[in-house]
Amino acid sequence: MNKIKSLCLLAAFVFAGFGANAQLTHLEQSIYLNFNLPTGQFNDDVVLNAANQSIPMTRFNAGKSAVFGFGLGYRVSYRFDVGFGEVSPYLHGDFQWNRIKSDLREDYMNASDGSCPNYFNVPIYLGVNYRYQLDDIFTPFAEFGIGPDFFFITKESGSSVNSGTFKLRYQATTNVAFQLGLGCYFGQHVSASLHYNGYGKHAIKYSGSPEMDNVALVATEASVTETQTRSIGMMSLRIGFHF
């Protein structure tokens, strides 16, 4: 948390400085559509539990089995002409959503009153963009950003033959994230880019006690004390609209 507080404080000082020199800059606001593909453990398949079934996922599999998702982003930046292109410090926030794989979703649909977990990532980046205008249409750019990522897992619930009824809520820690991107502006108001988003390693625990009728499964959950962590990352196609 100290790292996150330091990043937020740095962002406040940096953008206050930009505001004081606004006459030398050009303010730009951007809205983004994100199409993301999970990588690493975020995309790992769920390992069947001792009852030879995939649900409930429990904290040992929560944060896995994510598939193609969508998101929205907003950015405010200041553009500086440095003589050989433009540099744009920015503050950027994303809201990313991913579902779990279809075979797991079907398992929850077949469960009585089943509700499968969904994943949400909310990163906030402080970064810099460099662009170089080739002509009136094409302006390639590269960028880098760093900041906190807030990872959320919605509850899962339902019932199965082996586990009985279950209702699980999760709490994940916040971690430092980064993004790297390459793309191109087409004119002044539209851009397209590819990004890698590394959201860091998040610890996952239950929010409250597991509520399950199956005694053996509850005992197994209680007997394992090691922290469960998940490395979260994704590749994103980002379409931007700039004003």
Side-chain angles (χ1 to χ4, degrees):
M1 291 300 296
N2 288 334
K3 293 181 179 179
I4 295 171
K5 289 179 180 178
S6 298
L7 287 169
C8 293
L9 186 61
L10 177 61
F13 278 115
V14 170
F15 279 88
F18 292 156
N21 294 280
Q23 68 275 12
L24 304 177
T25 66
H26 176 73
L27 174 67
E28 181 176 85
Q29 298 185 71
S30 306
I31 297 174
Y32 295 91
L33 298 177
N34 301 321
F35 305 91
N36 60 67
L37 185 66
T39 62
Q41 288 183 309
F42 201 31
N43 190 45
D44 282 352
D45 289 330
V46 165
V47 178
L48 297 181
N49 61 33
N52 196 31
Q53 61 183 24
S54 55
I55 65 171
M57 292 174 70
T58 74
R59 65 191 176 98
F60 299 100
N61 284 311
K64 296 182 180 179
S65 199
V67 294
F68 180 84
F70 304 93
L72 294 173
Y74 173 77
R75 174 181 298 186
V76 58
S77 59
Y78 287 93
R79 290 164 48 188
F80 296 85
D81 188 342
V82 293
F84 47 91
E86 293 181 330
V87 172
S88 303
Y90 65 78
L91 183 64
H92 179 110
D94 275 330
F95 180 84
Q96 307 274 32
W97 166 66
N98 293 86
R99 298 194 295 177
I100 59 174
K101 294 179 180 178
S102 60
D103 55 342
L104 281 175
R105 294 200 304 271
E106 290 177 3
D107 289 341
Y108 284 95
M109 289 177 63
N110 294 331
S112 175
D113 297 323
S115 175
C116 64
N118 286 266
Y119 303 135
F120 296 95
N121 283 279
V122 185
I124 300 174
Y125 298 115
L126 176 65
V128 63
N129 170 293
Y130 171 76
R131 68 187 80 177
Y132 186 85
Q133 186 172 1
L134 297 179
D135 53 37
D136 291 338
I137 298 177
F138 300 105
T139 305
F141 69 87
E143 63 184 39
F144 170 78
I146 188 170
D149 173 60
F150 303 90
F151 182 45
F152 302 95
I153 304 173
T154 63
K155 72 175 183 179
E156 60 172 327
S157 62
S159 65
S160 64
V161 174
N162 294 323
S163 291
T165 61
F166 57 89
K167 184 187 296 182
L168 301 174
R169 293 181 174 87
Y170 300 97
Q171 182 177 352
T173 56
T174 302
N175 210 334
V176 176
F178 73 92
Q179 70 164 357
L180 292 169
L182 292 173
C184 187
Y185 292 88
F186 302 96
Q188 296 184 359
H189 301 294
V190 179
S191 69
S193 56
L194 289 175
H195 289 254
Y196 176 73
N197 303 278
Y199 293 143
K201 183 173 288 188
H202 295 265
I204 297 172
K205 63 180 182 180
Y206 294 120
S207 177
S209 301
E211 299 177 20
M212 289 180 277
D213 291 341
N214 184 273
V215 176
L217 189 53
V218 171
T220 300
E221 289 288 307
S223 65
V224 180
T225 58
E226 72 268 16
T227 300
Q228 297 297 307
T229 60
R230 213 70 73 229
S231 294
I232 309 297
M234 62 181 64
M235 295 293 300
S236 296
L237 170 64
R238 180 177 290 170
I239 307 300
F241 304 91
H242 311 281
F243 310 94

